[in-house]
Structures are given as structure tokens and as C-alpha cells.
Amino acid sequence: MPVAASENAKEVDKLFNFMMTIATGLFLIVEGALVYSLIKFRRKKGDTSDGPHIEGNVALEIVWTAIPTVIVFILAFYSFQTYNKLGGLDPVNSRNVPPQQIAIDNNDDQIALGIGKSFGKEALQVNVQAMQYAWLFTYPETGIVSGELHVPNNQPVQLNMTAKDVLHAFWVPQLRLKQDTIPGRQSIISFIPSLKGDYPIVCAELCGPYHGGMKSVLHVEDQDSYEEWIKSNQPVQEAYLEKTLTVDDSSSNEKFLTSYIENMDTEKDTVAELTHNYSHQDS
Amino acid sequence: MTTIIESTKTQHQQRKWTDYFTFCTDHKVIGIQYLVTSFLFYFIGGALAEVLRTELATPEPDFITPFLYNQVLTMHGTIMIFLWIVPAGAAFANYLIPLMIGTEDMAFPTLNALAFWLTPPGGILLLLSFFVDGGAAQAGWTSYPPLSLVSGIWGEEIWILSVLLIGTSSILGSINFLTTILKMRIKEMDLHSMPLFCWSMLATSTLILLSTPVLAAALVLLSFDLIAGTSFFNPAGGGDPVLYQHMFWFYSHPAVYIMILPFFGVISDVLPVHVRKPIFGYRAIAYSSLGISFLGLIVWAHHMFTSGIPGWLRMFFMAATMLIAIPTGIKVFGWCATIWGGKINLNTPFLFGFGFLTIFTLGGLTGVMLSAVPFDIHVHDTYFVVAHFHYVLFGGASMGLFAGFYHWFPKMTGRMFNEFLGKAHFLLLFIGLNVSFMPMHELGLLGMNRRIALYDIQFQPLNEIATIGAYILGLSTLPFVINIFLSLASGEKVSRNPWRAYTLEWQTSSPPAIENFDGKPVLWAGPYDYGLNSEEFDFEKVFGDTPTETSSNSK
Amino acid sequence: MQGSAIQKSHETTHVHHDHRLFGLVLFLIAESSIFLGLFSAFIVYKTIMPIWPPTGTPELELLLPGINTLILVSSSFVMHKGKAAIKRNDVSGLKLWFGVTALMGFVFLAGQMYEYFHLEMGLTTNLFASCFYVLTGFHGLHVSFGLFMILAVLWRSSKEGHYTSESHFGVEAAEIYWHFVDVVWIILFVLVYLL
Ligand code: HEA
Ligand code: HEA
Ligand code: CUA
Ligand SMILES: [Cu+2]
């Protein structure tokens, strides 16, 4: 597993290690029995006799039904607990929202499908739009539009995600978080990063030929450098718009981007459209 | 057709090779037709996999374009599932069910032939779609809209059409299997003295009957979206893409059990013969198939944990999915106990049975890990999932298939296969499989997503190992193919019952005569009565048969 | 051909008759699954969409489909009389009642057609319209097939002694199929028109 960049990610790792232990144990039991039989119970040459006529053993069968049952219950319970800790059952974030509603009223405090505890207004809100083949992050409070995601360390973040064309999925392996972005619907993830660093943002839902190149970077920074980043981007918002994508994106992964830089043209329109929407909302 | 009418009870009329290219209603011919067709598609699907792996040997999309990669990927998944494993299950069912229950054919022979003949057109159509405008379907074998609606319309439409054809074939087949098993057993055989393969086909057919039509419904709606401009699943027109996923997985999760259950049955029938011991816990294994079928119908959303479904629903689907480990565990432990204390004949069918148990257990255990939502959120749509399903599909279903193939090869052809080549096949397959798919677990955990032609450079070493494994797998087909042709041409002739097995199909000649049995078969023992008195039991005497009887005209 | 061949060489094979009925029932289970899929899709749309049917959908008229429903439902009873007739070996009774059923089925289809042409929406107008046309259309396809089966029975029944009180699988199959189509319609009518 890659490094865990949040407390929740550590919970997932704990669950994984627990399951891994159980699975290894079970596999060793089964495989041990098999290999032992393979060595011990080989037929001797010329022996045409049969093995013992044993058709079953009820007690034994009950035992090996009961043990997996117990394991399964423990596993389900533990996963449930972990899930709950991650905020999976959070009444706000995990609710399903009808598709059209979002398309109609695009306001801030709506509910959506997703994962993570909802922190409400406390959290840093970022609107995410996924498109073939790029990510677009809009900070509604400051109006910043960026191709990469910058967040301050140790502070709740809420991503309000949607997609422009087809399904995509937002995945940061280091956060162990993944959520599909769906055109016409909004999905939310929220998290608290706890480890500074730059982590890949990967698209995890097949979205076309360049699905593999649809990447961005999540910068988890300390408060100072985060604010600096905000400052350096904010004032030149309008003028900067043209550059946002090119500047920020090219720093992420030049190799991938060169191959479909032509796609960026269409995205400029989207950027314009988006900013228009948000300024409209503020007024 | 005329051969059927002329056949009499005493003559062992054999099939001409041309019969296999006709609309023949003999279940054995249909069984072989299915088997050969599915193997052809296995080679095609496998060759496509080799293309995928070659591309993935390096991070850049240099071997084929990403655009082509997605087509190859989609075709690989579709062919392997709908044209290899599913028809191969139908092949065994067709060939074996009437023989195992002592009847001369299926309940509806014409329907049966019709079902088979829907398959090749479906497959050929699918392959031809590479050449249409816009290329073959490229949205993965799951074909999620809206992507499937915006990439290569004609390829996609052909994909829908051929899956519909194969689905129809599968439904018609299952009607036949159910009717035959339930209604046409010889009088002495009650449900609990059927071979376990028949039980597993009962479970499989029920699943097919209930779930395949829902896929058909989904695909018809998708097709309307694609061609007629409706928007059932198209968010642009107010539709709901997630609904498609529900409908798709309502079929496709049961489909994974449709793919594995027949081979659970095969394993249950192969193991006892070669370890000379009764199956351990007949009823438990029989009923657990039904349990798996039932649970299989209510777990579909575990493929959609990140698609956005309400939290409590995720929990329900997680719990239901985990429950499947229980009936499956009953089977696995039962098989281990069958082997335990037996007299193992370490031949090719047994080795594949052993391989099946090992690899399937591994794949099943990663399946249970996947069903834990918090973990699945991390690894969904990564190579961890790819590893899981190749372990269960390739290591499970395909290994079981090969076990059955070698086990019944003498019955089907009247000739014994070459043991050395069989073992070589197993060894290469077993090694290649692990070399190829084991690293994929790690890749997924580290962050490599699936269905990508270009990936991050850090994943290259593991991918290279996987590619080498895939080449070993490709190599493993060599001894297999040589073995078939060698044995067909010059394999040792076999008697009715070379394995000294107890199920009814071994009572007739090898290969069986056109109407299966000379007169009525007798049920003189349970299917797995090893260890009672067979030490003194002379199989040849009981059946009054010598190997030479059938040898004159086997092909 | 195959069947007759077997009968020649074996004494046992008279059992095919009831198997076909069993097979038909299995087939209808599969059919129900398709409709189940389509109906669930409809119900899902209905529950998750904020406005359903979407604004701008013309009001569905109830009178004509209502009459149509009555016709289809009562045709099931008419048809049953046909089967009862053949059970008494009364072939002309069979012909009469099946003839009437066919006529009623035809009227139903004509009514559907009339409705299609007079609705102010097309297949692609909106989600509701698409659902409406696909559901009723798919059902109409089944009615047509049922009608085809009835006509086949009528045609065959004109052959001397084709159906007897003992052997009339075709009649039974057509009847069961027709009842199935009928039940599907009732669900569809309630779902699409009434709810
Ligand atoms: C033959 C096919 C087959 C089989 C048998 C299975 C079996 C199982 N599968 Fe798998 N699966 C697939 C084929 C199959 N799967 C495919 C093709 C996909 C991907 C589709 C795609 O996206 O393209 C997939 C994906 C998939 C996912 C979704 C992953 C994702 O996309 O995020 C999940 C999640 O729950 C899952 C779970 C399971 C489980 C719990 C089982 C269980 O049935 C396993 C049960 C077996 C065992 C558990 C082992 C033996 C038991 C014991 C030794 C007893 C003791 C065990 C315990 C107490 C745990 N599978
Ligand atoms: C039963 C099912 C089955 C089987 C047997 C296989 C077999 C193999 N699969 Fe497959 N695979 C799937 C089902 C299966 N797969 C599915 C469902 C998907 C998902 C698709 C999707 O995402 O939509 C998938 C996806 C998939 C991927 C993921 C691609 C991606 O996500 O980007 C990869 C990558 O390595 C892969 C590799 C392989 C390999 C190396 C084999 C090997 O085992 C194959 C070995 C090959 C052979 C043994 C044949 C060799 C033949 C020749 C070399 C030619 C010889 C020709 C003649 C003799 C005429 N498969
Ligand atoms: Cu976007 Cu994959
Ligand atoms: Cu599944």
C-alpha cells in the first residue's frame, strides 16, 4: 500500500491488514490440507483399491460451516465499523440524490451521494468537474480555478464533484478514497488530510482512450504555503484564466499532457462557463 | 439427419466429422460443437490478451494506440466471458447431462441445436466489428453509458446484438437443461442420486433464467439510446446512467456464478474418481449450489460501491456478498476432505482439480476482501480487481474446465490423452497464471487503475513480470493443442470406463453410440460409491465390454 | 424428425408432451424477467425523478386504453372457453372461441396503433415518452406473437383430427401465453396509465 495521507486511510489499512491475516490463515489451512494429502495419500503403483468409504461427517461439516460464519460476521462487523468511522453512513453525504435536481439548482448546501463525514460549512469547499481528460477544481470562496488541487493540511475538505461528459472517478490512492463523478449528478467526498505531500489524482473509471492519462496532483500543504498559493492566484483571476490550465497542468505530468493538449481548447470554454456560473451565484 | 433414423440399437454407428458442421440435434454433437467453438474463442481471446500484455510491458502506449487498446480490452473481456466460459459450461452440460441421467437426448433437441447455432454468428459478428466505422466497442465489457453511447456507435451496436444473441442462446439452453434434469432421469435415479454436476446445472440454469433477461432488457434500452436517440441512460437527456449499472450487474454478478457453478459440478465429479473416495458431504455440496444461486441474486451492487448508492445499501450488499463465502467454503472444505485419506492418482485431471482448489480459494478470498466497502473503495477499478477475477475465472472456471476436459476426453473421443503433455500443460498454466496475475494484486494496491494503455512509470517492473507470465500462459496452449491432435490421431484406445468411475456416462461405449445406451442403463450404484466393494469389482465384466468393440470407427 | 426417429427405435418416448408445457412455463419465467427489468426501470425513474412525468408530457387519455384493457382481459375468458371446447373434443367450438379471441386481440392492437398516432409525443420527446413507447411497444410485440399463435392454432385446427381432447398442446400453449400477455398488460396499465 502507498503511504496513508489521512487518519481514515490508516483505518482502511488496519482493515486491510486484518483481512489479509485472516485470508492468509484460511489459505494456509486449505493449501496445507491439500499439499499434505498430495504427499501423504498418493496411490502406490499397482494399487487399484479404493480409499475408505466415507460419505461425510455431520459434526465436521457443522464445524466448517460455523467457523466461516463466525469469521464472516466478525469481518462484516469490523468493516461496518470502519465504514462508519469514515462517515459512510453520514446522513448528509451518503444520501442519494435524484439526477435532475442538481442540474436545476446548483447551490452549495445540498446533499449528495458520496463518502466521508460531512463537515458542513466548516470545510473548505472545492467544486470538481471531471471531463475527458482533465480535472478542473474551482474554489467558490475565492473564485480560483485550477487544474490541480491544493488543500491545507489537517483541515476538512469537501469536494463537490460532477462530470461534464461521461463517468469518471476521483481517486487518490494515498487517501484510499474513490468516488465516481456522474454527469448530471453531484457526488461528494470529504476528508481531512494529515500528511503533507504531493499525491496523484487518478481517474479510475474508463472514460475513453486517454483514460490512463487523466491525472492531476493533490498538494497537501501547510497553511502558509497554501495561503501563498491562494494569493498568487487570486488577484489575476480573469486574466489568469487562459493560463491556469496550461501552467498548472503542464507542471503535473508533461509527458501525458502533450499527447492531448488539443483537448484543452474546449476546456477553456468550460472554464469560462463555470466562472460565469459562480459569479452569478454570488450576486 | 439420416444417420439418426438408420441407427439401431445393436450397431455402434459413429458420427461423420461433417455432422459437426450441421444443424444436428444430437446432444453429443451439440456438446462437441459448443466445446470446439468455445476453445476457438479461447485462443482468440487469449491472443487478444497477449496483445494487451504486450502493450502493458511498457508505460507508453507504443504497441497499439490507446484507442485500439480499449477495443481489444473490450473484446478480450467479452469473448472470454460470453464466448469461452459460458459456452464451455453449456458444452459440458449438453454432452453430459443426458448421459449422466441415462436418457438418449435432451428434452428439446431442436431447441438445443438452435441455441447452439446462435452462438457462432454472435461471435463472428463481434469479431467483424473491429472493421466497422469507428471500430469495435470500446467501453469495456461492462459497456457503461454514457461512454458507450459516445464512442463508436456501430461497434457498440454490434456488441449489443451479439451479446443479445448469446444471451438468448443461454436462456434456451437453460430451459433444456432444467427440463431434462427434472423430468427425464431414469426411474431409479432420484434427485439425490444424481451426479453433482446435474445439481450444479440446476443452480446455473435457474440463475440464467432469472437474470439473463434483465441484461437483455438493459441492452435493449441501451440500444434505443444509441440508435433511436432516447435517453434512458443518457444524462444529457435526463436519463440515469447508474440505473444501467444496476441492471447490468443484476445479470453480470449472477453471471460470474453462471460461469463457476458448472465447474464446481465438474470438480465434484472429477475428484472422487481420481482419489477413489466418495464425495464428502453430497447433500451439503448439492444444496450449497442452490444457496450460492440465491445469494448471487442479491449482491449485484458490490460492483458499484463507488458509483454512488446510499450508505445503508452499501452495507446490505456488503453483508450479503460476504455470506457467499459460507456455501462456497462448504464446498471447498468438502472437496479437501474428499481428497484427504484417498488414494490419489496423480494424473492430469486430478492435477487440474488440485490447481482449481488452490487458485480458486485464493481468488475467492480476495473476493471477500473486495466486498468490504472501505477497502473496495480503495481498490475498485484497479488491478487488484483484475487479479481477483482472473484468479477465479482463469484459475477457477478455466482450471475446472480443463480438469473436466481431460477427465471426459476418453469418453468423448474413445482415446486416451498423453499424460506427459497433459502434465506439461498443467505446469505451464499453473506457473504462468501465478506469475502473471499475482503481481497485479500489488499493482492495484499501489494505485494502478485498470483499463489503461498508458501508466505511471513506477509500475513498470511489476507489469513486466505480468507480461512474462502471460507469455508463459500463451506457451501453455502448445502442449495442450499438440496433445489433442496427437491423441485424436494415435492415442491409446480406451474401454468404456478407463477411470473405473460409477456415474452412468461410463456405462456406455467410448465414444457413446448415437442414442447413448444399448437398451436401458442400469443404476447399479450411487454416483460416488467408492470403497464399498469395487476392489473385487470387475468393471469390464459387468458391462460386458472390451476396448476393441468401439474402436473400429472412432475418429 | 428427430422425435419420430426415436419413437421408431424406442418404446419409451411418449413423454414429450408434458415436457413442452414445462418448457413453456420456464420460458415464460424468463419472459417475466425481461418485463420485470423494464418495469423496475420505470419504477426507478418514477421514484427518483423530481417531476414525473416530466413537464410537458401530454396527459394520457384513459378512455381508449381502458376499453382496450377490458377487451384484452375478457379475451382471456373467451379463449378459455375455446380450450374447454377442445377438451370436449368440440373442434368447431375451439375455432369459434379462438376466432373471437383473435378478433379481440386484433382490436386491441388497432386501439394501440390509434393511440400511438394520436398522442402528442414521440419516442424521444422525453424519458416518460420513451418508457411509454418501449413498454407498450414491447408488450404489443408479445400480443402480436400471441395473435400469431392463435392464428396458427386456427389454421391447424382445420386439419382433420389435429387437435383432440387428448392432444392439444398447441391450444394450451397459446392459451397460457395469452394469459401471460394479459397479466403483463394489467401491470403495465396500472403502472403507466393509472399511477
Ligand atoms: C467466476 C467468476 C467469479 C467468482 C466465482 C467470483 C467470486 C466472488 N467475487 Fe468476484 N468478480 C468477478 C468474477 C468472480 N467473482 C469478476 C469478473 C469481477 C469484475 C467484473 C468487472 O468489474 O469487470 C468481480 C468483481 C468482484 C467485486 C467488485 C470489485 C470491484 O469492482 O470493486 C467484488 C466485491 O465484492 C467481488 C466479490 C466476490 C466474492 C465475495 C466472491 C465469492 O463468491 C468468493 C467465495 C469463495 C471463497 C471465500 C473462497 C473459499 C472459501 C473458504 C476457504 C471458506 C472460508 C472463507 C471465509 C470465511 C472468508 N468480485
Ligand atoms: C474467463 C475469462 C478470462 C480469461 C481466461 C482471461 C485470460 C487472460 N487475461 Fe483477461 N480479462 C477478462 C477475462 C478473462 N481473461 C475480463 C472479463 C476482463 C475485463 C475486461 C474489461 O475491463 O472490460 C479482462 C481483462 C484483462 C486485463 C486488464 C486490462 C485492463 O484493464 O487494462 C488483462 C491485463 O493483463 C488481462 C490479461 C489476461 C491474460 C494474460 C490472460 C491469459 O490467461 C490468456 C492466456 C492466453 C492463452 C492461453 C491463449 C494463447 C493463444 C495464442 C498465443 C494464440 C494462439 C493461436 C492459435 C493456436 C490459433 N485480462
Ligand atoms: Cu476520466 Cu477515466
Ligand atoms: Cu460480483
Side-chain angles (χ1 to χ4, degrees):
Chain A
M1 288 268 213
V3 292
S6 73
E7 293 307 316
N8 283 346
K10 287 181 190 143
E11 293 293 330
V12 176
D13 288 5
K14 268 192 237 157
L15 175 66
F16 170 69
N17 289 333
F18 176 73
M19 292 196 296
M20 211 40 211
T21 316
I22 292 186
T24 314
L26 284 168
F27 179 71
L28 286 181
I29 292 173
V30 172
E31 198 55 26
L34 280 174
V35 171
Y36 180 80
S37 311
L38 206 63
I39 295 165
K40 192 76 199 299
F41 302 116
R42 289 267 277 284
R43 194 183 64 167
K44 313 270 175 314
K45 254 221 152 61
D47 179 2
T48 56
S49 65
D50 283 358
H53 184 80
I54 303 168
E55 290 195 307
N57 180 331
V58 177
L60 200 58
E61 283 170 42
I62 289 177
V63 168
W64 71 47
T65 313
I67 292 178
T69 312
V70 172
I71 297 178
V72 159
F73 273 90
I74 295 173
L75 211 63
F77 185 71
Y78 186 23
S79 308
F80 174 77
Q81 262 193 331
T82 309
Y83 187 61
N84 214 357
K85 262 190 215 160
L86 304 189
L89 289 177
D90 186 280
V92 178
N93 275 6
S94 72
R95 252 167 63 189
N96 199 349
V97 151
Q100 278 186 332
Q101 208 153 297
I102 292 150
I104 294 164
D105 52 358
N106 213 347
N107 56 30
D108 269 352
D109 47 24
Q110 59 186 281
I111 44 174
L113 39 101
I115 184 161
K117 259 201 186 67
S118 108
F119 306 100
K121 290 284 173 206
E122 228 180 280
L124 166 70
Q125 305 279 333
V126 184
N127 294 323
V128 181
Q129 197 181 35
M131 64 197 76
Q132 286 169 327
Y133 304 93
W135 296 99
L136 205 60
F137 302 96
T138 313
Y139 293 70
E141 284 149 37
T142 52
I144 293 179
V145 180
S146 162
E148 295 186 352
L149 182 58
H150 289 252
V151 299
N153 199 7
N154 288 321
Q155 269 192 31
V157 182
Q158 176 173 328
L159 304 180
N160 310 309
M161 309 191 295
T162 185
K164 181 165 165 255
D165 33 39
V166 297
L167 299 176
H168 303 268
F170 178 93
W171 181 33
V172 179
Q174 283 74 4
L175 292 175
R176 317 281 188 267
L177 271 185
K178 182 183 291 125
Q179 172 63 48
D180 286 9
T181 64
I182 306 166
R185 284 200 196 192
Q186 192 161 49
S187 42
I188 293 179
I189 1 187
S190 39
F191 57 92
I192 309 178
S194 64
L195 188 67
K196 278 190 294 176
D198 296 344
Y199 310 115
I201 295 172
V202 182
C203 173
E205 182 70 60
L206 179 62
C207 54
Y210 290 96
H211 161 57
M214 180 166 164
K215 291 193 175 176
S216 181
V217 183
L218 164 68
H219 301 274
V220 179
E221 303 166 313
D222 54 34
Q223 195 69 34
D224 293 347
S225 34
Y226 172 69
E227 259 150 32
E228 206 167 297
W229 178 78
I230 292 274
K231 269 210 204 83
S232 66
N233 280 272
Q234 202 170 13
V236 275
Q237 227 262 88
E238 283 297 308
Y240 196 64
L241 197 79
E242 296 277 298
K243 281 195 199 157
T244 312
L245 286 159
T246 26
V247 171
D248 271 330
D249 272 343
S250 54
S251 67
S252 72
N253 216 328
E254 258 168 293
K255 204 159 102 213
F256 288 132
L257 279 164
T258 40
S259 53
Y260 39 89
I261 205 79
E262 64 267 21
N263 287 324
M264 295 301 170
D265 291 339
T266 52
E267 281 151 21
K268 273 179 211 145
D269 303 340
T270 327
V271 179
E273 191 184 301
L274 277 176
T275 28
H276 176 75
N277 280 350
Y278 286 124
S279 48
H280 183 71
Q281 227 169 66
D282 289 343
S283 60
Chain B
M1 286 300 237
T2 43
T3 43
I4 303 172
I5 291 162
E6 278 160 17
S7 81
T8 65
K9 286 187 220 174
T10 42
Q11 270 177 331
H12 281 279
Q13 200 98 38
Q14 289 300 320
R15 290 279 167 202
K16 297 190 298 296
W17 66 273
T18 45
D19 287 352
Y20 292 93
F21 294 90
T22 60
F23 190 87
C24 178
T25 57
D26 180 347
H27 74 98
K28 295 186 294 303
V29 173
I30 296 173
I32 301 289
Q33 286 174 328
Y34 265 119
L35 199 63
V36 172
T37 313
S38 64
F39 267 105
L40 284 179
F41 280 108
Y42 169 60
F43 294 134
I44 298 173
L48 293 178
E50 303 294 346
V51 173
L52 293 181
R53 282 308 335 162
T54 307
E55 163 61 54
L56 290 172
T58 57
E60 298 86 24
D62 41 12
F63 181 60
I64 51 175
T65 62
F67 178 68
L68 188 59
Y69 180 90
N70 284 4
Q71 301 178 24
V72 173
L73 160 74
T74 305
M75 289 299 135
H76 165 67
T78 311
I79 286 175
M80 283 302 196
I81 284 181
F82 292 110
L83 290 157
W84 152 242
I85 292 292
V86 171
F92 282 100
N94 268 300
Y95 200 92
L96 294 174
I97 288 175
L99 286 168
M100 281 179 161
I101 63 174
T103 176
E104 72 269 324
D105 208 327
M106 285 284 180
F108 314 111
T110 317
L111 194 69
N112 205 18
L114 184 71
F116 167 73
W117 282 106
L118 288 176
T119 309
I124 292 167
L125 216 61
L126 198 65
L127 289 176
L128 287 181
S129 73
F130 270 116
F131 304 106
V132 300
D133 193 26
Q138 45 203 280
W141 82 283
T142 49
S143 230
Y144 282 3
L147 181 63
S148 54
L149 298 175
V150 298
S151 48
I153 302 238
W154 292 112
E156 185 64 28
E157 186 58 33
I158 292 175
W159 182 89
I160 293 177
L161 223 87
S162 63
V163 173
L164 281 177
L165 280 176
I166 298 159
T168 311
S169 155
S170 174
I171 294 174
L172 297 182
S174 69
I175 292 176
N176 238 323
F177 302 150
L178 277 175
T179 314
T180 310
I181 295 174
L182 290 175
K183 295 279 180 181
M184 294 178 68
R185 277 166 294 147
I186 53 170
K187 264 209 278 321
E188 301 80 12
M189 188 186 278
D190 63 12
L191 280 176
H192 292 106
S193 44
M194 291 195 304
L196 283 164
F197 179 73
C198 296
W199 273 100
S200 72
M201 282 316 297
L202 277 185
T204 311
S205 306
T206 316
L207 271 184
I208 293 179
L209 216 54
L210 293 178
S211 63
T212 315
V214 177
L215 175 72
L219 291 184
V220 167
L221 294 184
L222 189 66
S223 187
F224 268 103
D225 279 5
L226 200 63
I227 300 292
T230 55
S231 41
F232 291 105
F233 304 129
N234 194 347
D240 182 6
V242 179
L243 178 63
Y244 171 84
Q245 300 180 12
H246 280 291
M247 292 176 84
F248 179 83
W249 289 114
F250 185 83
Y251 162 75
S252 288
H253 180 77
V256 311
Y257 297 112
I258 291 169
M259 289 183 272
I260 197 77
L261 279 170
F263 303 106
F264 282 171
V266 164
I267 291 298
S268 308
D269 270 327
V270 169
L271 286 181
V273 179
H274 300 282
V275 303
R276 319 290 320 153
K277 225 174 128 257
I279 191 87
F280 196 96
Y282 176 95
R283 288 190 184 216
I285 290 183
Y287 297 157
S288 59
S289 295
L290 301 183
I292 291 174
S293 285
F294 171 71
L295 288 173
L297 283 172
I298 54 166
V299 301
W300 74 88
H302 65 213
H303 296 272
M304 303 167 53
F305 284 150
T306 69
S307 300
I309 47 173
W312 60 271
L313 260 182
R314 295 188 206 196
M315 289 299 106
F316 167 78
F317 282 109
M318 173 177 92
T321 304
M322 286 181 173
L323 283 183
I324 297 185
I326 299 167
T328 319
I330 291 175
K331 280 181 193 290
V332 169
F333 294 132
W335 290 321
C336 289
T338 306
I339 296 176
W340 189 275
K343 306 234 165 157
I344 297 173
N345 183 1
L346 206 63
N347 54 12
T348 310
F350 177 82
L351 278 176
F352 273 103
F354 168 81
F356 168 90
L357 281 174
T358 306
I359 306 286
F360 175 76
T361 305
L362 257 168
L365 290 169
T366 55
V368 173
M369 293 167 77
L370 283 173
S371 66
V373 178
F375 177 64
D376 183 66
I377 286 176
H378 176 50
V379 292
H380 170 70
D381 262 330
T382 67
Y383 266 81
F384 192 89
V385 177
V386 176
H388 156 67
F389 68 74
H390 282 93
Y391 265 82
V392 277
L393 270 173
F394 195 53
S398 308
M399 282 258 197
L401 197 159
F402 283 120
F405 180 82
Y406 283 105
H407 179 75
W408 281 294
F409 184 83
K411 178 50 61 183
M412 292 175 177
T413 62
R415 299 199 182 240
M416 191 50 93
F417 52 86
N418 179 311
E419 209 24 79
F420 173 77
L421 286 173
K423 287 202 171 98
H425 177 204
F426 170 76
L427 224 61
L428 283 174
L429 193 79
F430 190 81
I431 294 170
L433 196 147
N434 283 298
V435 173
S436 187
F437 299 117
M438 189 61 90
M440 291 188 189
H441 290 107
E442 185 63 18
L443 279 173
L445 291 174
L446 286 177
M448 178 163 166
N449 44 345
R450 60 191 276 211
R451 295 170 164 177
I452 51 174
L454 56 169
Y455 57 85
D456 205 284
I457 194 125
Q458 57 163 315
F459 303 127
Q460 186 166 15
L462 286 171
N463 269 300
E464 278 167 358
I465 299 176
T467 301
I468 292 171
Y471 292 155
I472 300 178
L473 281 173
L475 209 62
S476 77
T477 38
L478 221 61
F480 172 68
V481 175
I482 296 175
N483 199 347
I484 294 177
F485 285 108
L486 199 69
S487 308
L488 279 178
S490 62
E492 188 192 329
K493 304 244 162 75
V494 294
S495 63
R496 292 173 174 230
N497 195 353
W499 307 125
R500 301 184 300 129
Y502 283 65
T503 38
L504 281 183
E505 76 270 23
W506 300 101
Q507 275 192 29
T508 183
S509 54
S510 308
I514 277 177
E515 282 177 5
N516 293 353
F517 297 96
D518 318 327
K520 286 216 125 223
V522 263
L523 192 70
W524 55 275
Y528 309 107
D529 276 346
Y530 300 96
L532 281 182
N533 57 353
S534 66
E535 272 155 72
E536 306 92 62
F537 200 82
D538 187 339
F539 284 83
E540 299 308 329
K541 214 175 259 162
V542 169
F543 301 123
D545 184 32
T546 51
T548 43
E549 186 196 342
T550 57
S551 56
S552 52
N553 40 16
S554 49
K555 58 166 192 159
Chain C
M1 221 166 152
Q2 164 85 351
S4 62
I6 287 173
Q7 257 147 28
K8 229 178 279 168
S9 52
H10 288 261
E11 313 78 1
T12 46
T13 331
H14 279 302
V15 276
H16 272 188
H17 178 81
D18 38 326
H19 292 171
R20 281 187 297 178
L21 214 57
F22 189 77
L24 180 71
V25 171
L26 292 180
F27 179 70
L28 289 183
I29 292 179
E31 286 262 47
S32 330
S33 250
I34 299 196
F35 279 108
L36 192 83
L38 293 174
F39 288 156
S40 335
F42 184 82
I43 294 170
V44 168
Y45 290 136
K46 197 174 153 55
T47 38
I48 68 171
M49 293 301 169
I51 311 151
W52 186 258
T55 33
T57 313
E59 193 70 20
L60 283 180
E61 223 223 294
L62 272 185
L63 183 64
L64 179 68
I67 295 172
N68 243 350
T69 307
L70 279 181
I71 291 175
L72 197 64
V73 171
S74 38
S75 75
S76 258
F77 294 96
V78 174
M79 193 172 193
H80 191 70
K81 286 192 90 80
K83 210 215 24 221
I86 195 65
K87 280 239 165 101
R88 284 179 272 111
N89 233 343
D90 171 10
V91 177
S92 53
L94 169 74
K95 279 188 195 165
L96 172 68
W97 294 117
F98 266 50
V100 175
T101 315
L103 206 68
M104 292 168 91
F106 192 74
V107 171
F108 175 86
L109 282 180
Q112 282 292 120
M113 278 301 159
Y114 180 87
E115 194 188 5
Y116 278 12
F117 284 120
H118 288 78
L119 271 177
E120 269 149 32
M121 56 182 189
L123 177 63
T124 55
T125 305
N126 61 28
L127 201 52
F128 179 83
S130 307
C131 284
F132 172 83
Y133 280 109
V134 167
L135 281 175
T136 53
F138 196 58
H139 175 263
L141 221 63
H142 281 74
V143 177
S144 313
F145 187 71
L147 204 59
F148 179 74
M149 279 173 90
I150 295 175
L151 293 179
V153 168
L154 282 176
W155 187 62
R156 284 187 173 186
S157 64
S158 54
K159 277 190 257 170
E160 193 69 42
H162 188 89
Y163 294 119
T164 64
S165 58
E166 308 288 63
S167 147
H168 48 263
F169 169 72
V171 177
E172 248 168 307
E175 193 195 352
I176 292 179
Y177 193 82
W178 196 252
H179 290 334
F180 169 77
V181 170
D182 216 8
V183 172
V184 170
W185 175 257
I186 293 173
I187 302 172
L188 197 159
F189 185 70
V190 172
L191 264 182
V192 177
Y193 288 89
L194 298 185
L195 286 182

